[in-house]
Amino acid sequence: MTLGSTASPSKVSPHLTPLPPLLRSRSLSPPLSQTPHRSARSITPPPQSNGTLGPGPATPSHQTWQTIKKRKWTHLTPETSQPAAPSLFTSRNRFDELSHLSEDDMRRSDEDLPATAGTPRAQQPREYKPPPIYVYGVTNYQDMASYLTATLEEEQYYFKALTDETIKINVSTSDSYRRLIKRLHADNVIHHTYQPRGERAYRVVLRHLHHSIHPDTIEGELEDLGHTARNVLNIRHRLTKAPLPLYFVDLEPRDNNKTIYDLQFLCNMKITVEAPRRKTSIVQCTRCQSYGHTKT
């Protein structure tokens, strides 16, 4: 075979096998000594901040929007410290004319002042507004107004019409309220109202009292402690109706009602006095099954 001739594929030596495509592509890559190393890449350092800290380590990221200035602490000495400048603002003391009076004179002058409605000594028992009265099934307003005028004066009450032929009556004074309620009860007029706030009992709960103690015994113990009980009732379980070591106590409204919470012993038993829990359900009358009031 001559040098200028090319070998045909049929005449390739059997000892030489063709390279696979992958090895062919690798053989075409430059030598290892000519490929750049990854760790030899040049990293451009971030620009240094123009702050007053001077050269140092890399600037944190928050320094792009914040410049921290260096403080120079100076300790003042008595030689270098300067006296404070005098204040240019002066005010007059309005109580200079009372400086010659002693504390006894001031206390005596307070006692000589007349008692007014705004002072605590002149406080009077608060008079609450009477609750409203709801009358049902009113078909003729004029007849009802004539009926009420025979009992009260027109200046002592006013009406308000509600739905379902209901009239709401508001009375101005407690005496007028009692007279009207007494007249409605005597004539069997269908109505409902609430107990006046000034006549409501002060209710508390006595815990850890045995259920076998008679209510009269509890009333007598409270009477010796200065509390007048209007009603004492043992509380029973809502479902099983079993007696519980709890008692409802309704006290007559007095100024010392809140002192009952300081009571720790009653009938030679360690007790706890608590306020009753408020009901979250809707109030319903057990007589007429209407909502918003209870039977009276």
Side-chain angles (χ1 to χ4, degrees):
M1 184 176 62
T2 59
L3 295 175
S5 63
T6 58
S8 61
S10 60
K11 295 182 179 181
V12 176
S13 176
H15 299 284
L16 298 176
T17 56
L19 295 175
L22 181 60
L23 296 179
R24 291 179 181 179
S25 61
R26 291 183 179 178
S27 63
L28 297 177
S29 59
L32 184 60
S33 59
Q34 298 180 4
T35 56
H37 199 273
R38 293 185 179 179
S39 61
R41 288 184 299 175
S42 61
I43 301 177
T44 305
Q48 294 292 335
S49 173
N50 294 329
T52 59
L53 290 179
T59 308
S61 60
H62 74 276
Q63 298 249 343
T64 58
W65 53 266
Q66 182 185 28
T67 303
I68 302 177
K69 296 183 179 180
K70 189 179 296 184
R71 280 187 176 183
K72 184 178 180 181
W73 297 95
T74 57
H75 300 278
L76 296 178
T77 58
E79 292 78 8
T80 59
S81 60
Q82 298 179 0
S87 177
L88 301 178
F89 176 77
T90 57
S91 61
R92 175 179 172 273
N93 189 3
R94 296 179 296 174
F95 301 98
D96 285 340
E97 299 178 0
L98 303 177
S99 59
H100 65 281
L101 297 178
S102 60
E103 295 181 0
D104 296 337
D105 297 336
M106 297 292 293
R107 191 179 300 106
R108 192 179 302 109
S109 60
D110 293 339
E111 296 175 355
D112 295 339
L113 292 176
T116 58
T119 57
R121 291 177 296 173
Q123 285 183 355
Q124 298 178 357
R126 183 177 179 181
E127 184 177 357
Y128 297 98
K129 187 178 180 180
I133 304 173
Y134 297 87
V135 182
Y136 301 99
V138 179
T139 56
N140 194 325
Y141 168 76
Q142 298 295 337
D143 294 345
M144 188 193 69
S146 302
Y147 172 81
L148 294 181
T149 306
T151 306
L152 303 177
E153 299 178 359
E154 294 184 358
E155 296 82 7
Q156 297 180 355
Y157 64 90
Y158 63 90
F159 301 104
K160 185 177 181 180
L162 304 178
T163 58
D164 298 334
E165 297 180 350
T166 304
I167 296 295
K168 179 181 178 181
I169 307 174
N170 290 89
V171 188
S172 57
T173 61
S174 300
D175 295 338
S176 302
Y177 171 81
R178 294 188 183 92
R179 280 189 293 164
L180 181 58
I181 289 296
K182 186 176 180 180
R183 177 71 183 277
L184 295 177
H185 277 297
D187 296 340
N188 295 326
V189 177
I190 300 176
H191 70 284
H192 91 268
T193 183
Y194 304 97
Q195 189 176 17
R197 187 171 181 178
E199 299 177 1
R200 295 178 188 174
Y202 192 84
R203 170 165 284 194
V204 295
V205 178
L206 302 182
R207 186 180 291 272
H208 308 307
L209 273 178
H210 198 266
H211 61 85
S212 62
I213 300 178
H214 199 272
D216 295 339
T217 305
I218 299 176
E219 291 183 9
E221 292 281 346
L222 294 175
E223 187 72 26
D224 297 338
L225 297 174
H227 300 282
T228 303
R230 181 184 298 180
N231 185 26
V232 179
L233 178 65
N234 178 241
I235 304 176
R236 295 180 176 270
H237 195 271
R238 183 175 59 90
L239 299 178
T240 62
K241 306 303 179 183
L244 301 175
L246 301 172
Y247 281 86
F248 277 134
V249 177
D250 296 335
L251 301 177
E252 294 291 342
R254 290 184 179 179
D255 297 336
N256 63 338
N257 289 143
K258 293 185 178 181
T259 59
I260 195 174
Y261 289 103
D262 302 333
L263 190 61
Q264 297 182 359
F265 294 93
L266 189 69
C267 299
N268 203 22
M269 300 188 70
K270 178 73 173 179
I271 67 168
T272 304
V273 184
E274 300 176 356
R277 297 178 182 177
R278 293 188 177 184
K279 296 182 179 180
T280 57
S281 58
I282 302 176
V283 179
Q284 185 179 12
C285 181
T286 57
R287 178 177 298 175
C288 65
Q289 307 303 320
S290 299
Y291 292 99
H293 69 96
T294 58
K295 65 179 181 179
T296 54

